[in-house]
Amino acid sequence: MDHSTSNVIELPFSIDKEDLTNSVWKVIEILKPKWRQDSIKHKIFSDGITNSLVGVIHEDDKVNMILVRVFGENTDKIIDRNAELVNMKILHTLGFGPALYASFYNGLAYQYLPGEILTPVTCLDENIYPLVAEKMANFHLQFACVKERLPLETRKSLEKSVLWTKLKNFIMLCPPKYSSDVPPKEKLLEELRWLKRMLQQLNDQLVFCHNDLLLANILHDKDRNSIEFIDFEYAGPNYQAYDIANHFCEFSGVEDYNPLRYPHEDFRKKWVTVYLKTFYKNETVDGKTVHLLLGHVEHFTLASHFFWGVWALIQAAHSSIDFDFVGYASLRWDQYFKKKAAILTDAGAIES
């Protein structure tokens, strides 16, 4: 059964990003005709560096707040917005993420989910990180359910990872010149060929991934002691170890990027053990299985640094958001080459 076309209102207009709090009323008056404009309050969310997000609250009822997200400039070059809509609809039916209310030319309106985004402190909390690991494992287990809910003509798209096609497309979109701290296009393509060969040899499991689990995309509801994932812009089939590796890399932050916050080995082992117990629905997981996935995760940190390093270069060329995207790209590429050197050194030590 195709669940990708649920009742979502399609609105034939755009929202003025420069006058966000006033222009969102165009959406709200259609979704909530009984709401009065003079009883509206707005909450601006400033955690993202790609889109603009505002919450619309009627008569101080925060529980029923509606979120209106306006896409960043030219983000359709790197994000498949149709796929995002389909993902949001399907994943909500499976118990993940908010209900989608409406789409308009340059954005979406959807349900507010309660909770606080994770921080560099709470992501390490022994009462919270197991919930995240369990949530990711259950998310990954939705592969077959997502596939059967897609239209027949698009189900083949789930048979291979989105990673390689997306990375190649990203490189093609990169500007010809940027900081000297960042590899030129030909070097990026050369690195991509090497990375693909190296990671494909691992034969890592293909699952349905979120692909962007930075701390701001994970909500912890203290009252229910539960975790929610949000923002499925990059969701799709990908390697199991990539989603975990990318999440660990995101402990370093974005605006205050600090690679020293990458989690230490003992934490990674405990996190992956919880994940595997949920993924295999087994209270005991042998050490060999844990060790294997941990090794894959370390290798896939390279793919995370590569992905967001190239992404940042594209954003630098097209985004009007006040953020040092080139500087961020430089930091991610620095970590990429350091990690690559460490992996090659370890491989040489094993071979010798």
Side-chain angles (χ1 to χ4, degrees), residues 243-282:
D243 226 12
I244 301 171
N246 187 66
H247 176 56
F248 288 166
C249 286
E250 294 294 352
F251 283 29
S252 298
V254 180
E255 295 181 75
D256 58 344
Y257 187 77
N258 179 0
L260 295 178
R261 292 205 294 255
Y262 184 78
H264 57 73
E265 186 176 3
D266 183 55
F267 176 89
R268 299 196 307 268
K269 184 177 180 180
K270 290 189 291 186
W271 197 104
V272 166
T273 300
V274 174
Y275 169 91
L276 287 170
K277 285 181 178 179
T278 306
F279 189 78
Y280 289 115
K281 298 180 172 63
N282 195 334

Side-chain angles (χ1 to χ4, degrees), residues 79-339:
I79 297 169
D80 184 337
R81 294 300 182 187
N82 290 327
E84 180 188 8
L85 284 174
V86 171
N87 286 336
M88 283 189 73
K89 295 171 189 175
I90 291 176
L91 288 167
H92 180 69
T93 68
L94 295 171
F96 295 87
L100 179 61
Y101 300 143
S103 64
F104 45 96
Y105 291 155
N106 63 334
L108 306 170
Y110 51 91
Q111 177 189 17
Y112 164 75
L113 295 177
E116 298 292 328
I117 62 172
L118 294 195
T119 69
V121 174
T122 58
C123 68
L124 298 170
D125 190 307
E126 61 182 13
N127 296 313
I128 296 177
Y129 82 75
L131 301 176
V132 179
E134 291 168 1
K135 191 75 173 183
M136 189 189 292
N138 284 318
F139 192 93
H140 288 173
L141 288 169
Q142 304 307 311
F143 200 168
C145 295
V146 170
K147 188 173 183 179
E148 71 182 15
R149 284 164 171 76
L150 285 172
L152 286 172
E153 64 272 15
T154 61
R155 290 182 186 178
K156 279 194 173 183
S157 65
L158 263 68
E159 293 178 0
K160 62 180 181 179
S161 167
V162 298
L163 184 61
W164 308 118
T165 300
K166 216 171 242 309
L167 282 177
K168 189 171 183 180
N169 290 342
F170 276 18
I171 293 172
M172 293 300 103
L173 288 168
C174 277
K177 293 181 180 179
Y178 30 77
S179 168
S180 59
D181 295 329
V182 176
K185 260 189 182 183
E186 284 307 311
K187 177 63 174 175
L188 292 177
L189 289 169
E190 179 185 325
E191 281 296 327
L192 180 59
R193 289 190 288 270
W194 174 85
L195 185 65
K196 185 175 181 179
R197 285 196 308 270
M198 190 271 289
L199 292 181
Q200 284 185 329
Q201 291 174 0
L202 300 177
N203 291 317
D204 198 69
Q205 186 160 345
L206 193 70
V207 295
F208 193 80
C209 290
H210 183 285
N211 290 321
D212 188 21
L213 282 173
L214 71 163
L215 302 185
N217 281 343
I218 303 173
L219 299 174
H220 177 234
D221 185 336
K222 293 180 182 178
D223 294 334
R224 295 186 301 150
N225 194 31
S226 62
I227 289 290
E228 290 284 356
F229 293 165
I230 57 173
D231 288 359
F232 304 121
E233 292 177 311
Y234 298 95
N238 206 351
Y239 304 103
Q240 179 183 49
Y242 175 86
D243 226 12
I244 301 171
N246 187 66
H247 176 56
F248 288 166
C249 286
E250 294 294 352
F251 283 29
S252 298
V254 180
E255 295 181 75
D256 58 344
Y257 187 77
N258 179 0
L260 295 178
R261 292 205 294 255
Y262 184 78
H264 57 73
E265 186 176 3
D266 183 55
F267 176 89
R268 299 196 307 268
K269 184 177 180 180
K270 290 189 291 186
W271 197 104
V272 166
T273 300
V274 174
Y275 169 91
L276 287 170
K277 285 181 178 179
T278 306
F279 189 78
Y280 289 115
K281 298 180 172 63
N282 195 334
E283 278 304 308
T284 58
V285 179
D286 65 89
K288 183 179 179 181
T289 303
V290 173
H291 180 76
L292 181 66
L293 183 53
L294 280 172
H296 285 194
V297 167
E298 288 307 287
H299 282 69
F300 271 94
T301 59
L302 290 174
S304 173
H305 291 310
F306 198 118
F307 190 98
W308 299 110
V310 180
W311 169 89
L313 295 176
I314 301 169
Q315 291 289 87
H318 298 289
S319 176
S320 62
I321 292 174
D322 183 18
F323 180 77
D324 183 8
F325 287 106
V326 174
Y328 179 70
S330 299
L331 292 169
R332 296 304 295 256
W333 282 111
D334 180 61
Q335 289 303 302
Y336 172 88
F337 286 110
K338 285 180 178 177
K339 190 69 178 181

